[in-house]
Amino acid sequence: MKTQRQTKILEIIASMDIETQEQLLNELKKAGYRSTQATISRDIKELRIMKELTSLGTYRYTTVSKEKTGAFSARLNTIFRESVISYDYAQNLVVIKTIPGLAPAASSAIDAMNMSVVVGSLAGDDTVVVIMRDLQAAIGFCAEIRRLLN
């Protein structure tokens, strides 16, 4: 059922401009699929669906090809490697210092990693704070940063 629903979601967003999860739920209902907003939200994340700006100034759901995603992630990883000055952890928080102005790019690279142990990240001008699930995740993440930087 999940695969069929997700296939239908991809068909719907390919054939019409869908701006909200509510609109998507309504279209799924018309197609005979019963679901909840939480399920649709998970589907959107799993399918890597994002919103793009249309020529009319509105937003719509769309998919990003794996080729574009891979190239984008590779570029972000390069920016990450070149911008990080230092990193350390305290409990479940990882603090990353970057070259001034590059913390948002480093934070985007972290988000693109799609690691389940990362709860979220916040970026300033030259500092990123990464909230991890627990201490072990923070230690493992710092090891991953070390691997990326070497």
Side-chain angles (χ1 to χ4, degrees):
M1 186 65 157
K2 176 180 176 178
T3 304
Q4 293 170 338
R5 181 184 65 248
Q6 288 184 346
T7 300
K8 191 62 177 176
I9 288 171
L10 292 173
E11 288 175 16
I12 290 170
I13 66 169
S15 65
M16 59 181 53
D17 288 349
I18 301 291
E19 284 189 71
T20 65
Q21 289 182 9
E22 186 177 336
Q23 286 176 318
L24 185 55
L25 272 170
N26 288 335
E27 292 301 321
L28 281 171
K29 188 175 180 181
K30 287 179 192 175
Y33 294 87
R34 297 182 58 77
S35 191
T36 64
Q37 184 276 328
T39 299
I40 297 304
S41 183
R42 281 190 298 274
D43 287 341
I44 287 170
K45 185 174 182 178
E46 286 177 21
L47 294 169
R48 295 182 182 244
I49 293 173
M50 55 190 329
K51 285 191 174 185
E52 72 176 356
L53 186 62
T54 68
S55 59
L56 301 173
T58 59
Y59 287 90
R60 72 181 193 100
Y61 284 117
T62 187
T63 57
V64 177
S65 72
K66 290 188 189 290
E67 182 180 300
K68 286 182 183 175
T69 302
F72 182 67
S73 294
R75 204 171 320 152
L76 282 174
N77 284 339
T78 300
I79 291 169
F80 184 84
R81 282 192 306 274
E82 305 227 351
S83 68
V84 173
I85 296 170
S86 67
Y87 59 93
D88 203 352
Y89 68 92
Q91 298 298 324
N92 69 319
L93 301 176
V94 175
V95 176
I96 302 169
K97 292 291 198 174
T98 70
I99 294 170
L102 291 179
S107 183
S108 290
I110 291 165
D111 292 343
M113 291 177 194
N114 290 319
M115 298 175 72
S116 62
V117 294
V118 174
V119 176
S121 64
L122 300 169
D125 182 56
D126 64 354
T127 305
V128 179
V129 176
V130 185
I131 299 96
M132 308 302 294
R133 296 233 176 260
D134 55 32
L135 174 63
Q136 288 307 109
I139 293 168
F141 187 67
C142 283
E144 179 68 14
I145 292 172
R146 190 176 318 109
R147 186 189 67 73
L148 277 172
L149 297 180
N150 292 330

